[in-house]
Amino acid sequence: QKEVEQNSGPLSVPEGAIASLNCTYSDRGSQSFFWYRQYSGKSPELIMSIYSNGDKEDGRFTAQLNKASQYVSLLIRDSQPSDSATYLCAVQYGNKLVFGAGTILRVKS
Amino acid sequence: NAGVTQTPKFQVLKTGQSMTLQCAQDMNHNSMYWYRQDPGMGLRLIYYSASEGTTDKGEVPNGYNVSRLNKREFSLRLESAAPSQTSVYFCASSEVPTGTGNTIYFGEGSWLTVV
């Protein structure tokens, strides 16, 4: 059973702070990792992908991958109320993308 | 700029009824997927089609059937609906099924309630 684990939250941060979202996965052979954002009542949308160990930055978002520890994280700098959503970690296993249950993020103004 | 279109958006079924969820994509993608999303469970793969003419089971295929009608369309059928199938269903597509750069695009979702 391929597993992707996330803390369900909610994670509450004040506006302007850094939000840190974490994800662990079970299969060391995984090569592709994704973060999706999902607003309430909407479909998931891709915000970051990462394939190599280390950090990948895109605007206010930074994805971090540590394959030895089987750990993926997403940092959101200067958090805004509009960042309030559920963040889904997804891991590619062969032909399939397996999702975690998601972490609810609330940014308080 | 439709992307992935699924219908219906909302449906209420009685236990034992059958229905088909329709999905079409206009991005010329090879692979298509059906997921269900339940509170606290995340997205779980029901069936997928890596390419036209092929279909495979995902994590939770029981009670469902699929048809890859052509490259654009991938339908999900509930033959005898059960309350446990109350969920939000998402169709998705991607250019290729494996490897890096495999961005999956989702439809807007179909809210299904079985009473």
Side-chain angles (χ1 to χ4, degrees):
Chain A
Q1 183 82 6
K2 309 297 186 185
E3 295 184 346
V4 179
E5 300 287 341
Q6 296 181 255
N7 188 321
S8 61
L11 173 66
S12 293
V13 300
E15 184 175 356
I18 296 175
S20 177
L21 305 162
N22 304 312
C23 171
T24 59
Y25 60 96
S26 61
D27 188 346
R28 287 187 176 275
S30 303
Q31 296 296 320
S32 303
F33 307 87
F34 306 87
W35 283 98
Y36 283 79
R37 178 177 62 200
Q38 186 176 26
Y39 293 114
S40 181
K42 301 295 185 182
S43 59
E45 56 178 334
L46 180 69
I47 53 173
M48 289 286 289
S49 59
I50 187 166
Y51 312 113
S52 304
N53 276 331
D55 295 359
K56 179 181 177 183
E57 186 174 320
D58 184 0
R60 295 187 297 113
F61 299 97
T62 298
Q64 299 175 318
L65 174 60
N66 183 325
K67 290 185 179 180
S69 300
Q70 296 172 238
Y71 179 91
V72 190
S73 64
L74 179 70
L75 301 178
I76 306 175
R77 290 182 300 281
D78 189 24
S79 294
Q80 301 297 310
S82 59
D83 293 326
S84 298
T86 298
Y87 288 81
L88 303 168
C89 174
V91 178
Q92 185 84 27
Y93 291 111
N95 285 350
K96 305 170 189 175
L97 201 60
V98 178
F99 287 82
T103 299
I104 298 170
L105 173 65
R106 293 180 181 156
V107 182
K108 299 179 179 179
S109 58
Chain B
N1 209 17
V4 180
T5 303
Q6 51 181 114
T7 57
K9 192 169 178 69
F10 299 99
Q11 183 73 49
V12 178
L13 284 178
K14 294 182 178 179
T15 299
Q17 285 185 320
S18 62
M19 77 159 297
T20 299
L21 297 174
Q22 306 286 353
C23 176
Q25 50 90 10
D26 62 2
M27 297 175 281
N28 201 34
H29 284 170
N30 291 297
S31 303
M32 298 185 73
Y33 313 81
W34 276 106
Y35 286 88
R36 61 177 288 175
Q37 187 174 34
D38 303 293
M41 300 290 289
L43 287 153
R44 291 182 293 169
L45 183 64
I46 304 171
Y47 270 94
Y48 69 101
S49 171
S51 61
E52 186 179 358
T54 68
T55 59
D56 287 286
K57 295 179 181 179
E59 302 169 70
V60 288
N62 291 343
Y64 304 95
N65 285 303
V66 291
S67 295
R68 183 74 183 266
L69 304 171
N70 47 55
K71 191 171 185 179
R72 290 186 64 246
E73 298 173 287
F74 188 39
S75 63
L76 178 72
R77 183 162 178 82
L78 286 70
E79 292 291 351
S80 178
S84 61
Q85 294 177 304
T86 294
S87 189
V88 183
Y89 291 85
F90 288 99
C91 178
S93 71
S94 62
E95 185 173 3
V96 293
T98 59
T100 59
N102 180 27
T103 301
I104 287 184
Y105 298 88
F106 287 89
E108 292 188 340
S110 295
W111 274 253
L112 177 65
T113 301
V114 183
V115 298

